[in-house]
Amino acid sequence: MRPQTLFKALLAATALIGCAAQQDSTAPRSGLTTRWAGAVTSERVHPEYPRPQMVRSEWQNLNGEWDYAIRDRDDARPVEFDGKILVPFPVESQLSGVARSVTPDQRLWYRRSLEIGAVPDGHRWLLHFGAVDWHASVHVNGALVGEHRGGYDPFSLDITDALHAGAGQELVVSVWDPTDQGDQPRGKQVLEPRGIWYTAVTGIWQTVWLEPVPASHITSLRIVPNVDAGAVSLHVSTDTPGVDVRVRATALEDDREVARGTGSTAEPVTLRIADARLWSPDNPFLYGLAIRLETGDSVLSYFGMRKVSVARARDGHQRIFLNNEPLFQFGPLDQGWWPDGLYTAPSDDALRFDVEATKRMGFNMARKHVKVEPDR
């Protein structure tokens, strides 16, 4: 792409990203917004299952309106709350409906009710947080069920023992964030944005969800493609490490079964992929993957058949190779901030636009910077 053409494409993309959206009662009333802000409502805010590499069919999305309060850091839990906040947008953002800053001397409180449905005996209820910045304490029905420090990584809590019979479970989350007054990883957040330093992010900024699982269930997957061998190995971890559990895995190409394997959690399950369709930026094909334990837990996932290596090219220099061919990578530096949601994109459509616009401009990569993006 010629420099002049690239420059015009960048201007066009900037104009699309910055265009104002028609507002509803939830969206911000002032400031720079994206075209997707108008579609955000308390009834529909990031409704998609948030963990695409380990999807369960039974789950409950907890995004939407929560009660919130900002108090001095050492104050007890508030009796009265300040109003409503739209989760998962950080409290400083327009899309949260609050747009208030929180200092290191203050604490942000969240509250909402949970409706727990009936599940088979022996199941456990897991409460998942995509990300909370920074120190989160989680209470269910007045009992502390867990704490987490870290602004970028997901965490899960088993809340089963804190639940009571009947409807109306109470979930309360308190968050403290020192921003640039602490030594925790914080990217470009500062209390006083200027120059290359950006608006602080406090509190829940990725999807919160609840799901029932069997007592023995999958906790993580490690999927390793081997292009040269025409195979993919699957490592399944459970909440009972050291206990051997039988695993069945199926690979799918456009909903058509192409490989099947059985094994156990004690060792990898290998699937042979004949004449594999290789992943590349120009053809980002993904195979579907279904995994089931003998305990009854099952998840859906995916993988791309690709190989990334460093090898000597024909010119004698070491190069990055993709699928045994040299690939020159070129693309933008993506800071990952949104004018209306800060760390949090308004919607899945907004995330998709970023990827597709980058490809339309002729790039084949994006360098993600200063934050860990949501899994989607």
Side-chain angles (χ1 to χ4, degrees), residues 211-277:
E211 62 185 0
V213 296
S216 178
H217 56 270
I218 299 168
T219 55
S220 66
L221 303 173
R222 182 167 178 258
I223 306 166
V224 184
N226 187 331
V227 167
D228 295 332
V232 60
S233 62
L234 172 63
H235 307 248
V236 180
S237 297
T238 70
D239 65 323
T240 53
V243 177
D244 190 8
V245 181
R246 298 296 297 172
V247 177
R248 184 171 74 245
T250 304
L252 304 168
E253 180 179 348
D254 298 328
D255 297 324
R256 178 179 62 88
E257 181 179 316
V258 294
R260 178 184 295 183
T262 58
S264 75
T265 55
E267 57 188 17
V269 176
T270 299
L271 303 179
R272 301 293 174 183
I273 311 297
D275 301 318
R277 294 172 62 179

Side-chain angles (χ1 to χ4, degrees), residues 79-122:
V79 176
E80 299 292 332
F81 282 68
D82 298 346
K84 298 293 185 180
I85 184 171
L86 192 60
V87 171
F89 298 107
V91 67
E92 295 90 348
S93 71
Q94 298 178 59
L95 283 174
S96 72
V98 179
R100 290 175 59 184
S101 59
V102 180
T103 72
D105 297 324
Q106 295 175 316
R107 185 178 297 274
L108 172 62
W109 292 85
Y110 294 85
R111 181 183 65 186
R112 67 156 292 157
S113 62
L114 303 176
E115 298 298 328
I116 302 295
V119 297
D121 291 340

Side-chain angles (χ1 to χ4, degrees), residues 110-228:
Y110 294 85
R111 181 183 65 186
R112 67 156 292 157
S113 62
L114 303 176
E115 298 298 328
I116 302 295
V119 297
D121 291 340
H123 276 57
R124 310 293 293 180
W125 284 98
L126 300 183
L127 176 63
H128 303 281
F129 292 83
V132 182
D133 196 0
W134 176 72
H135 179 190
S137 301
V138 183
H139 293 77
V140 174
N141 295 326
L144 177 66
V145 294
E147 296 182 79
H148 181 264
R149 293 173 174 84
Y152 302 111
D153 51 330
F155 62 98
S156 302
L157 301 168
D158 186 333
I159 65 170
T160 311
D161 295 338
L163 300 175
H164 56 59
Q169 320 284 335
E170 183 190 55
L171 171 60
V172 173
V173 181
S174 74
V175 182
W176 174 69
D177 182 13
T179 310
D180 56 358
Q181 304 302 302
D183 58 3
Q184 83 289 355
R186 58 182 172 86
K188 288 194 171 184
Q189 299 180 66
V190 292
L191 294 172
E192 297 181 9
R194 64 195 183 282
I196 66 168
W197 303 102
Y198 300 163
T199 305
V201 167
T202 303
I204 299 169
W205 67 274
Q206 289 189 35
T207 291
V208 186
W209 79 102
L210 189 65
E211 62 185 0
V213 296
S216 178
H217 56 270
I218 299 168
T219 55
S220 66
L221 303 173
R222 182 167 178 258
I223 306 166
V224 184
N226 187 331
V227 167
D228 295 332

Side-chain angles (χ1 to χ4, degrees), residues 225-368:
N226 187 331
V227 167
D228 295 332
V232 60
S233 62
L234 172 63
H235 307 248
V236 180
S237 297
T238 70
D239 65 323
T240 53
V243 177
D244 190 8
V245 181
R246 298 296 297 172
V247 177
R248 184 171 74 245
T250 304
L252 304 168
E253 180 179 348
D254 298 328
D255 297 324
R256 178 179 62 88
E257 181 179 316
V258 294
R260 178 184 295 183
T262 58
S264 75
T265 55
E267 57 188 17
V269 176
T270 299
L271 303 179
R272 301 293 174 183
I273 311 297
D275 301 318
R277 294 172 62 179
L278 301 186
W279 183 100
S280 74
D282 293 327
N283 181 33
F285 177 77
L286 298 175
Y287 285 91
L289 186 62
I291 305 104
R292 185 174 184 85
L293 299 184
E294 63 181 346
T295 62
D297 191 25
S298 62
V299 297
L300 297 177
S301 189
Y302 66 88
F303 62 94
M305 287 297 290
R306 67 179 180 186
K307 173 186 177 181
V308 179
S309 58
V310 175
R312 195 171 300 280
R314 285 188 292 270
D315 61 6
H317 295 284
Q318 295 279 76
R319 305 291 186 193
I320 295 175
F321 277 54
L322 175 66
N323 302 332
N324 298 318
E325 296 290 338
L327 176 71
F328 180 75
Q329 298 184 62
F330 56 107
L333 171 62
D334 184 352
Q335 305 277 356
W337 248 267
W338 296 81
D340 41 18
L342 300 181
Y343 265 9
T344 311
S347 65
D348 238 32
D349 287 341
L351 290 172
R352 183 185 183 102
F353 173 87
D354 261 10
V355 177
E356 292 181 340
T358 300
K359 292 191 71 174
R360 283 198 303 271
M361 285 185 271
F363 298 121
N364 65 1
M365 57 84 72
R367 175 186 166 192
K368 304 303 294 184

Side-chain angles (χ1 to χ4, degrees), residues 4-18 361:
Q4 297 92 334
T5 305
L6 177 58
F7 180 68
K8 290 178 181 178
L10 287 168
L11 287 178
T14 303
L16 286 169
I17 292 170
M361 285 185 271

